[in-house]
Amino acid sequence: AGQRDAVLEIVRGTPGVRDVTNRLTVAAPYSDEQLVGLVRRRLEEEIGGSAATLGITSAQGIVAVEGDFSDHEKVDKILQVVMNTDGVR
């Protein structure tokens, strides 16, 4: 919202501008398919081969991860990696 507000202020302050209709949107940095690939690669780097057993999906930047692990530390690591991946909402 910060960039959008800054652009609106600049446009509103431009001489001759009488009205501003805001149709700006902020595009996601990655498609859902790209995001799934990015998350999978990051998980493979962090937790190794067990990342291959995870089901990973994304819808509009919201990532879901499914899998079975008995190690709570590994689950915490998975959540940390996913939540700190650029593009995940």
Side-chain angles (χ1 to χ4, degrees):
Q3 288 179 329
R4 184 171 55 191
D5 292 340
V7 170
L8 286 174
E9 286 304 311
I10 291 169
V11 172
R12 284 186 180 120
T14 302
V17 172
R18 295 184 298 181
D19 188 28
V20 177
T21 302
N22 180 358
R23 293 187 185 138
L24 295 173
T25 59
V26 178
Y30 303 103
S31 70
D32 285 321
E33 184 177 305
Q34 291 171 320
L35 193 54
V36 167
L38 180 60
V39 167
R40 184 167 302 282
R41 283 188 300 280
R42 291 205 57 227
L43 286 170
E44 287 169 354
E45 291 170 1
E46 294 290 330
I47 67 168
S50 57
T53 65
L54 295 172
I56 304 171
T57 58
S58 178
Q60 298 177 342
I62 300 171
V63 173
V65 179
E66 295 181 47
D68 293 319
F69 289 96
S70 58
D71 180 352
H72 291 287
E73 288 180 20
K74 189 165 277 193
V75 171
D76 289 343
K77 183 65 173 177
I78 291 168
L79 290 173
Q80 179 186 19
V81 169
V82 172
M83 291 174 23
N84 289 314
T85 299
D86 186 38
V88 173
R89 299 180 354 162

